[in-house]
Amino acid sequence: KRIKSRYWRACIKVITPWLEERRSPVLACFKKQIQAIADRNSGTIPAGRDGFFLDPEQIEYNNVVGMARKELQMQTQEQLDALSICKKVKAVRDEIAHLRMPDVNNVFELIFAMDRYLQ
């Protein structure tokens, strides 16, 4: 029970800020495409069906996963790798957001993929 409690606290206090620190470098390879989408939409990014719009600087990992289905084109290996990381982040962050502990293997895979990508 103590180990689970420590793991949960680590997810909130360590993993979440760690992911945020790395968001900009991971998403940098999509910057031109994201800006082009924003330019077509009065400087904002459509974010969902409810008419909600984001500033391009507010784009999150999960937004990239959604945008990859329609607007973003994976043109390079770097973009494919970044998308893979975004999907891994989404899986981990979705669990944390719903107050569930993410699977340890998913966290390990995310950390290793992120470290490889950002080296």
Side-chain angles (χ1 to χ4, degrees):
K1 187 175 181 180
R2 265 187 17 213
I3 291 172
K4 282 186 177 184
S5 176
R6 286 181 178 180
Y7 177 65
W8 175 243
R9 283 194 312 261
C11 288
I12 294 171
K13 292 182 178 182
V14 177
I15 293 174
T16 302
W18 181 83
L19 291 171
E20 189 57 29
E21 289 171 358
R22 287 152 179 79
R23 179 174 58 94
S24 184
V26 171
L27 303 186
C29 65
F30 300 114
K31 191 169 183 100
K32 286 182 183 176
Q33 287 188 66
I34 289 170
Q35 190 57 55
I37 294 166
D39 290 346
R40 291 191 303 268
N41 291 284
S42 303
T44 60
I45 303 293
R49 296 179 207 120
D50 58 356
F52 186 70
F53 290 85
L54 291 172
D55 181 278
E57 296 299 317
Q58 294 176 314
I59 296 294
E60 298 278 343
Y61 297 103
N62 62 323
N63 298 119
V64 169
V65 173
M67 293 171 73
R69 293 185 194 119
K70 296 179 184 174
E71 298 100 345
L72 292 179
Q73 302 299 313
M74 300 303 119
Q75 301 166 338
T76 66
Q77 187 61 49
E78 179 186 16
Q79 290 173 335
L80 289 168
D81 293 344
L83 177 61
S84 175
I85 289 169
C86 290
K87 289 177 180 179
K88 291 177 189 325
V89 170
K90 183 177 178 341
V92 169
R93 285 182 72 181
D94 283 355
E95 290 298 299
I96 293 170
H98 293 286
L99 303 178
R100 297 185 296 252
M101 289 186 288
D103 182 272
V104 174
N105 291 322
N106 289 346
V107 173
F108 284 150
E109 286 179 21
L110 169 59
I111 291 168
F112 293 135
M114 185 79 76
D115 285 350
R116 275 191 315 272
Y117 183 80
L118 294 176
Q119 285 182 348

